[in-house]
């Protein structure tokens, strides 16, 4: 990577942001893009290729966001571009079934052993919301269990934080969500086995499902411990609740079989009952899915009584993009190489910080990583949010000025693609080392 300038020109980004703010609330179409947490001017992306994007001022950035996960092959992968171009010429959307939907469903079911059937939708939010409706319909129960810090999209019942006590249900985290809508959502502390046991002892017979990000990328990067995940599985089975893995971020990102394949290595026979996917399966196009056992999935309309639908569901261009992406990640050694490269980034940053005496730790799985300006990896949301936001912001901006684009908030994970080279990683570590050393 060539040396990037310090304090890049941001005049066109700034002008675009001003224009955007006049018409689009906050100037953005999804809040984290606004740089509110870190301050400064969001970069308006003009184009991207491989591991890089270029902003409206012509500055180049090494991209560790990759559209928040989908771009696992980097931007503009030739095989994916070709598949999309071909699909576009055949038509954008039909509202009638297509062969590619069948192919994509076959591919997903083949690669993720817990799935017997899937339905395709257009966003992770929609997939998680639909999975919960289906879990409620299939069990005839109302209550759901989620964990603080896990994000499952922005549907009403999931915009909720912990109530004042364990026995109490959550309170909304967004205006516009009536308390009655979240009164069936129980919010527990991540990785806290005692809370989990107590909650199931109190409410187990009324719980339709437990939804979890197995490796949580929405509180930076926090893994569910193996004992905790083991208890999640056991308690769901014991109480007749469905265990839903939200693998919108981790699916085809941390391993070919998703995070569930990672836990299956430590917990023999481990499987969730349902899985929610998105991001990588669309390769950057609006596409997501939810799936599970045949017995549960057959309760969906038109077979069953649980309604779910979508005008653009299984869109022919999106499925072409997703299929091409899934074909590429199945090439031999893909995840070994991606995992090794991502580990080398985290190890390099950790060593650079240690050399300068800066507290730092990080973790990764496959092409997903997180780091903290802390001595020890946090285990839950409260610890993540208790970290020094100002120190993170200084690090973020120093890296941005040096042409490295990390997530603009300390509670977000980062992503490495197969287009990131060893020299990209070295340049990143070098830029961080210069910052840690104070120059
Ligand atoms: C991104 C994400 C979602 C929401 O997906 P959208 O496509 O943004 O609606 C849900 N769950 C997890 C774990 C995610 O990372």
């Amino acid at each position: 990577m060539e040396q990037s300038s310090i304090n890049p020109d941001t005049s066109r980004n700034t002008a675009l942001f001003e224009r955007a703010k006049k018409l689009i609330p906050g100037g953005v179409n999804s809040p984290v893009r606004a740089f509110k947490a870190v301050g400064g001017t969001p970069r308006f992306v003009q184009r991207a290729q491989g591991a890089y994007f270029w902003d409206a001022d012509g500055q180049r950035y090494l991209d560790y966001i990759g559209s928040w996960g989908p771009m696992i092959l980097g931007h503009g992968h030739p095989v994916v571009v070709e598949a999309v171009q071909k699909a576009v010429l055949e038509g954008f959307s039909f509202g009638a079934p297509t062969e590619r939907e069948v192919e994509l469903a076959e591919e997903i079911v083949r690669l993720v052993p817990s799935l017997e059937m899937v339905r395709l939708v257009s966003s992770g939010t929609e997939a998680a919301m639909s999975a919960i409706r289906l879990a409620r319909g299939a069990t005839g129960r109302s209550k759901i269990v989620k964990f603080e810090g896990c994000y499952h999209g922005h549907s009403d019942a999931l915009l909720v934080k912990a109530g004042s006590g364990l026995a109490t249900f959550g309170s909304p985290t967004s205006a516009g969500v009536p308390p009655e809508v979240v009164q069936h959502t129980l919010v527990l502390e991540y990785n806290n086995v005692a809370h989990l046991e107590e909650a199931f002892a109190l409410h187990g017979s009324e719980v339709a499902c437990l939804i979890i990000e197995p490796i949580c990328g929405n509180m930076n990067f926090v893994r569910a411990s193996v004992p905790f995940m083991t208890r999640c599985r056991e308690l769901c089975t014991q109480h007749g609740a469905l265990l839903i893995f939200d693998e919108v971020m981790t699916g085809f990102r941390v391993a070919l079989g998703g995070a569930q394949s990672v836990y299956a290595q430590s917990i023999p026979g481990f499987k969730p009952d349902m899985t929610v996917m998105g991001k990588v399966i669309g390769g950057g196009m609006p596409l997501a899915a939810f799936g599970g056992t045949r017995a549960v999935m057959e309760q969906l309309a038109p077979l069953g009584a649980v309604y779910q639908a979508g005008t653009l569901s299984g869109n022919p261009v999106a499925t072409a993009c997703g299929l091409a992406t899934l074909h590429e990640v199945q090439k031999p050694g893909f995840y070994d190489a991606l995992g090794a490269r991502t580990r080398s980034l985290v190890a390099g940053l950790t060593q650079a910080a240690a050399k300068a005496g800066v507290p730092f730790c990080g973790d990764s799985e496959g092409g997903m990583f997180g780091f903290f300006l802390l001595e020890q990896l946090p285990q839950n949301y409260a610890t993540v949010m208790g970290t020094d936001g100002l120190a993170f912001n200084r690090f973020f901006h120093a890296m941005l000025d040096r042409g490295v684009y990390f997530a603009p908030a300390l509670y977000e994970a980062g992503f490495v693609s197969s287009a990131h080279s060893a020299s990209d990683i070295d340049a990143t570590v070098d830029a961080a080392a210069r910052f840690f050393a104070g120059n």
Side-chain angles (χ1 to χ4, degrees):
M1 194 176 107
E2 77 216 28
Q3 202 68 36
S4 292
S5 62
I6 306 277
N7 299 324
D9 175 22
T10 60
S11 54
R12 274 216 78 221
N13 289 302
T14 305
L16 281 171
F17 194 37
E18 291 310 315
R19 245 171 88 195
K21 282 192 285 192
K22 289 191 183 124
L23 298 169
I24 303 171
V28 292
N29 285 311
S30 196
V32 75
R33 298 177 194 173
F35 276 25
K36 204 171 163 192
V38 292
T41 308
R43 302 308 193 253
F44 281 66
V45 179
Q46 200 135 52
R47 66 188 174 89
Q49 185 58 48
Y52 297 92
F53 72 78
W54 285 260
D55 74 4
D57 285 292
Q59 297 286 337
R60 190 183 75 166
Y61 295 88
L62 182 51
D63 181 11
Y64 284 110
I65 299 294
S67 184
W68 299 98
M71 310 314 296
I72 195 164
L73 306 176
H75 298 282
H77 189 285
V79 170
V80 180
V81 169
E82 194 191 329
V84 169
Q85 283 174 331
K86 190 161 166 279
V88 163
L89 295 178
E90 293 166 356
F92 293 0
S93 184
F94 315 117
T98 62
E99 183 170 353
R100 271 202 292 278
E101 294 165 81
V102 186
E103 278 180 52
L104 184 57
E106 284 168 349
E107 201 77 345
I108 293 170
V109 165
R110 189 170 63 76
L111 294 172
V112 184
S114 68
L115 300 179
E116 291 173 357
M117 296 185 102
V118 283
R119 175 152 286 173
L120 303 182
V121 295
S122 300
S123 73
T125 294
E126 201 187 345
M129 177 186 80
S130 305
I132 283 173
R133 182 182 306 141
L134 179 56
R136 283 171 159 164
T139 57
R141 299 174 178 182
S142 300
K143 300 204 185 310
I144 62 178
V145 172
K146 86 173 279 290
F147 297 97
E148 193 147 43
C150 290
Y151 178 66
H152 307 293
H154 62 89
S155 67
D156 285 356
L158 293 168
L159 289 180
V160 52
K161 63 174 186 282
S164 49
L166 234 199
T168 62
F169 285 81
S171 53
T173 52
S174 167
V177 177
E180 308 84 71
V181 173
V182 298
Q183 70 181 358
H184 295 299
T185 310
L186 187 53
V187 185
L188 306 177
E189 189 176 78
Y190 201 71
N191 276 328
N192 188 328
V193 173
H195 274 191
L196 182 71
E197 289 180 340
E198 199 175 327
F200 270 90
L202 283 167
H203 302 288
S205 65
E206 303 160 274
V207 175
C209 61
L210 177 159
I211 186 165
I212 184 167
E213 273 188 85
I215 299 172
C216 186
N218 285 288
M219 47 175 153
N220 196 321
F221 183 107
V222 181
R223 293 169 190 269
S225 74
V226 168
F228 178 68
M229 189 58 81
T230 304
R231 279 312 272 155
C232 285
R233 179 62 278 179
E234 286 169 355
L235 287 165
C236 283
T237 304
Q238 190 182 325
H239 292 273
L242 298 175
L243 175 61
I244 304 179
F245 259 33
D246 184 344
E247 297 227 41
V248 171
M249 191 181 286
T250 54
F252 300 105
R253 166 54 67 179
V254 299
L256 189 57
Q260 52 198 269
S261 69
V262 176
Y263 283 92
Q265 286 169 11
S266 312
I267 311 170
F270 181 87
K271 273 183 192 178
D273 299 302
M274 295 180 72
T275 301
V276 181
M277 282 180 295
K279 296 192 170 116
V280 171
I281 65 164
M285 291 274 180
L287 198 147
F290 62 102
T293 58
R294 182 171 305 279
V296 169
M297 293 301 289
E298 284 187 341
Q299 315 238 357
L300 269 183
L303 292 179
V306 178
Y307 192 69
Q308 190 278 329
T311 302
L312 297 177
S313 291
N315 175 271
V317 182
T319 48
C321 188
L323 269 171
T325 302
L326 293 193
H327 288 160
E328 288 300 309
V329 302
Q330 289 177 63
K331 294 207 165 143
F334 180 90
Y335 287 96
D336 288 343
L338 184 67
R341 186 125 304 157
T342 311
R343 280 193 300 278
S344 74
L345 171 69
V346 173
L349 293 174
T350 306
Q351 280 158 17
K355 213 176 273 176
V358 174
F360 191 96
C361 62
D363 195 5
S364 70
E365 189 70 43
M368 173 176 163
F369 68 89
F371 57 80
F372 301 91
L373 299 167
L374 290 176
E375 300 287 355
Q376 244 188 353
L377 291 171
Q379 296 300 309
N380 58 48
Y381 184 68
T383 318
V384 172
M385 296 317 278
T387 59
D388 185 349
L390 291 177
F392 172 82
N393 292 353
R394 280 193 297 275
F395 178 72
F396 168 80
H397 276 293
M399 296 303 282
L400 189 70
D401 289 349
R402 291 165 166 85
V404 179
Y405 194 90
F406 283 123
L410 67 73
Y411 48 82
E412 303 283 1
F415 304 95
V416 170
S417 79
S418 56
H420 286 71
S421 68
S423 62
D424 289 332
I425 303 295
D426 289 347
T428 306
V429 170
D430 186 55
R434 280 182 279 134
F435 170 71
F436 290 142
N439 49 47

